[in-house]
């Protein structure tokens, strides 16, 4: 409301009031005339506030919306009366350009998606096999106006794969731990119940089994803890500069022990300075050498070579002369608890985690692990780790530009 005070009219009413008093009119009547006059003037002066011009809401045009969502990495669709009117580049790459103009329920052909698109409001649905059989996608629908809606596609396949891997790991670890524990408990119960009736050779056999399974259980727990530590540190780059040659020689002899050290054959190697975690690298070498000694032929040597690759990396090769591994098994060798021959692996004391640990150690050192095998000839594991830059090791002959490093013997 806006109000303009009529000063002139009120002044005239006041003059009239005075004149009435001067003429001897009853003051109450004169005052009443003044009030009525002034009030009338005020009522006439009142004007209703003009209504503000409403701002018309401009709908978002199709061209503007298309430009807005085109380069989003998330697949986005815009539907008009359930017909796909717009699909950004990510959506077209995922579902194909032919979906534009199709009914959304026909384009997706998923019961959960059809039910979602039949709703008027916002909502979401989980669909499987949208593009590939194992895919898992979350579809989010958000209305824009009465006839249009935005559909967002969120890929949840990786999250499901990680969750499934964790579940499998817990199940496999539980199974592996339960096997030696069952043997230990069974033999201990037998020894306890038999008392003096059990002859000495049988008792010694049972005690030997208990000792073997106990050590296997200890190794399994140790490897699980090692794998956990390596995974926890996989994003921390090592900073310590060390000589890989001396480390390989020491770790390989530790893995072989006095009983098997004669089966190890070291070849001439070039000096290799790298940045690494010495404990983890020693564990990597021990696992590789131990695997080669276990699964190689009992009377054959294991060859260990350390040199430089063509792309300027330290190259460690561990090769055995065993039965070899079938080609279809090689991609799975670094999976946790994967065994090509479970019975033989358990009999030799293997935990199924050795190569998984090696893989994570190599990845932490920004290296690469390759495994090649040929049936009847043997298996070779090759680890490549970047050499340090020349500026990182001052005065070291192995890293001075233009100077060929001296060969050295692994020891």
């Amino acid at each position: 409301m806006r109000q303009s005070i009529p000063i002139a009219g009120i002044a005239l009413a006041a003059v009239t009031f005075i004149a009435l008093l001067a003429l001897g009119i009853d003051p109450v009547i004169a005052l009443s005339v003044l009030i009525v006059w002034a009030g009338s003037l005020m009522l006439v002066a009142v004007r209703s506030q003009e209504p503000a011009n409403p701002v018309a809401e401009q709908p978002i045009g199709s061209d503007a919306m298309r430009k807005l969502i085109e380069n989003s990495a998330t697949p986005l669709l815009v539907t008009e009366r359930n017909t796909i009117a717009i699909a950004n580049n990510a959506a077209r790459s995922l579902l194909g350009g032919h979906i534009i103009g199709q009914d959304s329920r026909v384009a997706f052909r998923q019961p959960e998606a059809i039910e979602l698109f039949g709703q008027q409001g916002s909502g979401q649905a989980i669909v499987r096999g949208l593009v590939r059989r194992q895919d898992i996608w979350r579809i989010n629908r958000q209305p824009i106006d009465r006839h249009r809606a935005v559909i967002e596609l969120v890929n949840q396949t990786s999250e499901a794969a990680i969750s499934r891997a964790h579940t499998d790991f817990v199940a496999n670890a539980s199974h592996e731990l339960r096997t030696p524990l069952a043997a230990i408990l069974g033999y201990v119960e037998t020894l306890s119940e038999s008392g003096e009736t059990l002859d000495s050779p049988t008792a010694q056999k049972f005690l030997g089994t208990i000792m073997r399974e106990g050590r296997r259980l200890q190794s399994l727990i140790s490897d699980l803890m090692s794998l956990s530590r390596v995974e926890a540190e996989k994003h921390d780059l090592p900073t310590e500069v060390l000589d890989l040659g001396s480390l390989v020689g020491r770790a390989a002899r530790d893995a072989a022990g006095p009983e098997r050290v004669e089966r190890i054959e070291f070849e001439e190697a070039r000096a290799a300075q790298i940045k690494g975690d010495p404990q983890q690298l020693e564990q990597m070498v021990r696992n590789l050498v131990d695997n080669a000694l276990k699964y190689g032929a009992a009377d054959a040597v294991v060859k260990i070579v350390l040199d430089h690759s063509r792309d300027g990396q330290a190259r460690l090769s561990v090769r055995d002369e065993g039965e070899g591994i079938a080609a279809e098994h090689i991609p799975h060798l670094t999976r946790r608890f994967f065994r090509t021959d479970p019975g033989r692996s358990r009999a030799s004391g293997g935990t199924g985690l050795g190569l998984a640990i090696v893989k994570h150690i190599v990845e932490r050192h920004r290296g690469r692990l390759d495994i090649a095998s040929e049936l009847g000839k043997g298996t070779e594991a090759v680890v490549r780790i970047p050499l340090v830059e020349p500026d990182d090791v001052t005065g070291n002959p192995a890293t001075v530009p233009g100077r060929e490093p001296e060969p050295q013997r692994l020891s």
Side-chain angles (χ1 to χ4, degrees):
M1 302 284 290
R2 290 189 304 173
Q3 181 173 336
S4 177
I5 300 175
I7 297 176
I10 293 175
L12 181 59
V15 171
T16 303
F17 170 72
I18 295 171
L20 291 175
L21 292 177
L23 293 174
I25 303 298
D26 188 354
V28 175
I29 296 174
L31 181 61
S32 299
V33 171
L34 175 62
I35 294 172
V36 171
W37 194 339
S40 300
L41 292 174
M42 293 295 295
L43 289 174
V44 172
V46 173
R47 293 183 301 171
S48 299
Q49 184 177 2
E50 295 181 1
N53 293 328
V55 178
E57 184 177 351
Q58 298 295 328
I60 301 176
S62 297
D63 290 340
M65 187 171 295
R66 184 179 292 104
K67 293 178 182 178
L68 183 65
I69 69 173
E70 175 63 20
N71 295 317
S72 173
T74 302
L76 296 172
L77 308 168
V78 177
T79 61
E80 293 183 6
R81 301 182 187 275
N82 272 336
T83 298
I84 299 175
I86 302 172
N88 69 352
N89 183 54
R92 295 194 303 272
S93 300
L94 180 70
L95 302 173
H98 64 277
I99 63 171
I100 298 177
Q102 284 189 348
D103 189 295
S104 58
R105 293 163 293 188
V106 175
F108 284 84
R109 297 174 184 169
Q110 297 279 348
E112 298 85 358
I114 293 172
E115 182 179 356
L116 174 65
F117 299 150
Q119 300 174 3
Q120 295 298 321
S122 60
Q124 65 178 25
I126 302 296
V127 300
R128 298 175 182 272
L130 183 61
V131 180
R132 290 174 290 274
R133 189 175 64 177
Q134 300 297 329
D135 283 355
I136 300 176
W137 291 82
R138 186 180 77 242
I139 302 178
N140 299 322
R141 182 182 185 275
Q142 184 64 44
I144 301 175
D145 51 35
R146 290 181 58 190
H147 304 301
R148 294 188 299 175
V150 174
I151 296 174
E152 178 190 35
L153 305 178
V154 181
N155 191 350
Q156 295 187 321
T157 308
S158 298
E159 296 177 12
I162 292 172
S163 177
R164 186 166 53 251
H166 287 171
T167 302
D168 292 344
F169 176 71
V170 171
N172 289 331
S174 300
H175 174 74
E176 294 292 335
L177 290 168
R178 188 164 50 241
T179 302
L181 279 175
I184 290 171
L185 293 175
Y187 281 109
V188 168
E189 288 176 1
T190 302
L191 289 172
S192 300
E193 294 174 359
S194 300
E196 298 180 357
T197 61
L198 194 66
D199 58 41
S200 181
T202 304
Q204 290 301 318
K205 178 181 177 182
F206 285 6
L207 289 172
T209 302
I210 292 172
M211 179 66 72
R212 183 176 65 254
E213 295 296 337
R215 286 176 177 169
R216 181 184 161 209
L217 184 61
Q218 185 180 39
S219 298
L220 184 58
I221 293 173
S222 177
D223 282 353
L224 284 171
M225 293 177 64
S226 296
L227 184 59
S228 177
R229 283 195 298 268
V230 173
E231 287 185 327
E233 298 172 351
K234 66 181 179 181
H235 297 298
D236 300 332
L237 289 177
T239 57
E240 181 179 348
V241 178
L242 51 85
D243 176 30
L244 186 59
S246 59
L247 182 146
V248 168
R250 183 173 61 253
R253 295 181 188 278
D254 288 344
E259 304 85 4
R260 303 182 298 180
V261 70
E262 297 300 327
R263 292 178 54 199
I264 296 177
E265 180 182 304
F266 296 104
E267 294 191 7
E268 291 288 340
R270 299 175 65 183
Q273 299 284 332
I274 66 169
K275 288 184 177 180
D277 183 318
Q279 291 184 345
Q280 289 187 359
L281 289 173
E282 287 184 5
Q283 184 175 19
M284 176 193 76
V285 175
R286 285 197 300 268
N287 286 356
L288 291 175
V289 173
D290 186 57
N291 271 1
L293 291 169
K294 281 179 181 176
Y295 303 116
D299 57 347
V301 298
V302 171
K303 294 182 180 180
I304 303 174
V305 182
L306 177 63
D307 56 12
H308 292 185
S309 63
R310 295 180 179 178
D311 53 354
Q313 294 183 317
R315 180 183 182 276
L316 172 65
S317 167
V318 179
R319 180 177 180 82
D320 66 62
E321 297 178 3
E323 298 177 0
I325 302 170
E328 63 267 21
H329 294 318
I330 291 179
H332 308 291
L333 292 177
T334 56
R335 282 172 45 193
R336 301 165 184 175
F337 300 112
F338 179 82
R339 297 181 176 94
T340 57
D341 186 351
R344 181 185 176 190
S345 178
R346 291 193 178 98
S348 62
T351 63
L353 295 172
L355 287 178
I357 294 173
V358 169
K359 182 191 74 169
H360 285 288
I361 292 175
V362 173
E363 287 177 351
R364 186 197 172 196
H365 288 76
R366 301 302 184 262
R368 173 180 169 183
L369 171 65
D370 293 306
I371 300 175
S373 185
E374 187 175 351
L375 290 175
K377 293 188 176 181
T379 303
E380 181 183 23
V382 178
V383 173
R384 294 177 176 85
I385 297 177
L387 294 163
V388 295
E389 296 296 328
D391 295 339
D392 292 336
V393 184
T394 305
N396 191 312
T399 57
V400 175
R403 181 172 180 179
E404 182 70 17
E406 297 292 334
Q408 67 173 15
R409 172 72 67 178
L410 294 173
S411 58

